[in-house]
């Protein structure tokens, strides 16, 4: 199987990334630590997930801890507009669940938001970049599952909360898959949110606001945008 060239995305030099089927041990060009990766830029740079998301983590936490907004799509969209958040990347594995946590609390969900956001960051950061294509497990959908696990206090030994957390992820993954590839961290994040809001209302009883017609304003930055095939594409952008 040949390597697939993806977006112009190396944080060091801006050249395209190449993904390989077999992961390799590499030294991060940003922090020097050894890590395992399937991605390398054409110029031989490697960037670990921590370095990729480093600038966005404080933005995600601060915004979510302080917003009074009740619509997780609006919260996520506003964070995505911040230049610290890349077009694609594993920071979305923290971002989506954090936006859900903030909206959930603002719509009456009983949680210690700051504590929940810390746990979200911890767990979301463990979900590697690229696992959508490599594991069949999009990290935006997983992030919604982590959200459910946090608000219900699920563990591997739990009963109903275990069921709800896995259902949350699987409902998101099904909808994300049906929109087709290649991955888009914006589209897949919006689908996860759109799936999560009614699921949460039905199963947890907290009704969050949700923009009726979600629109994406990032398509020009995404070389692999599905354009008119994407449910959120805005004609003329
Ligand atoms: Zn590079
Ligand atoms: Zn690094």
């Amino acid at each position: 199987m040949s390597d697939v060239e993806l977006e112009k995305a190396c944080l060091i030099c801006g050249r395209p990334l190449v993904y390989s089927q077999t992961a390799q041990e590499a030294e991060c060009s940003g922090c020097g630590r050894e890590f395992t990766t399937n991605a390398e830029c054409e110029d031989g740079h490697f960037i670990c997930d921590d370095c990729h998301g480093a600038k966005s983590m404080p933005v995600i936490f601060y915004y979510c801890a302080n917003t009074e907004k009740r619509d997780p799509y609006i919260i996520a969209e506003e964070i995505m507009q911040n230049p610290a958040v890349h077009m694609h990347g594993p920071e979305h594995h923290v971002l989506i669940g954090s936006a859900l946590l903030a909206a959930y609390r603002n719509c009456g969900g009983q949680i210690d938001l700051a504590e929940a956001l810390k746990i979200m960051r911890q767990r979301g950061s463990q979900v590697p970049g690229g696992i959508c294509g490599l594991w069949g497990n999009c990290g935006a959908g997983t992030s919604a599952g982590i959200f459910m696990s946090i608000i219900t206090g699920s563990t591997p030994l739990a009963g109903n909360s275990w069921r709800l957390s896995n259902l949350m992820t699987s409902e998101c993954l099904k909808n994300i898959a049906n929109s087709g590839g290649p991955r888009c961290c914006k589209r897949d994040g919006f689908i996860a949110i759109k799936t999560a809001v009614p699921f949460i209302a039905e199963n947890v009883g907290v009704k969050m606001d949700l923009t009726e017609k979600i629109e994406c304003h990032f398509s020009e930055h995404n070389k692999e945008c599905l354009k008119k095939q994407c449910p959120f594409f805005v004609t003329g952008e």
Side-chain angles (χ1 to χ4, degrees), residues 125-237:
S125 299
Q126 291 174 347
V127 180
I131 69 157
C132 49
L134 298 168
W135 293 7
N137 190 353
C138 165
T142 307
S143 194
I146 296 173
F147 158 86
M148 183 58 79
S149 166
I150 293 172
I151 63 158
T152 59
S154 175
T155 68
L157 300 180
N160 194 43
S161 59
W162 185 95
R163 183 182 76 89
L164 286 175
S165 304
N166 282 280
L167 265 181
M168 177 83 271
T169 305
S170 61
E171 293 287 322
C172 289
L173 290 182
K174 186 176 69 187
N175 292 335
I176 288 166
N178 281 333
S179 80
R183 68 78 184 87
C184 170
C185 296
K186 306 311 191 220
R187 180 189 71 235
D188 300 335
F190 295 155
I191 293 173
I193 286 171
K194 217 179 141 182
T195 307
V197 168
F199 187 90
I200 292 159
E202 193 180 321
N203 291 283
V204 190
V206 171
K207 199 171 169 338
M208 302 187 215
D209 295 358
L210 184 64
T211 302
E212 207 164 306
K213 189 166 173 10
I214 292 179
E215 291 186 341
C216 175
H217 304 291
F218 301 94
S219 44
E220 63 177 307
H221 305 294
N222 180 15
K223 208 174 82 177
E224 298 93 15
C225 177
L226 295 177
K227 308 275 181 190
K228 286 183 178 158
Q229 309 309 320
C230 173
F232 313 120
F233 183 66
V234 185
T235 319
E237 282 209 13

Side-chain angles (χ1 to χ4, degrees), residues 21-32:
Q21 288 291 317
T22 310
Q24 60 177 318
E25 287 296 315
E27 185 180 302
C28 174
S29 310
C31 68

Side-chain angles (χ1 to χ4, degrees), residues 82-99:
N82 191 299
V85 181
H86 302 293
M87 176 65 214
H88 305 296
E91 50 265 50
H92 294 83
H93 306 167
V94 176
L95 195 162
I96 298 304
S98 298

Side-chain angles (χ1 to χ4, degrees), residues 28-33 47-48 50-51:
C28 174
S29 310
C31 68
R33 82 177 169 95
I47 292 290
C48 74
D50 286 348
C51 283

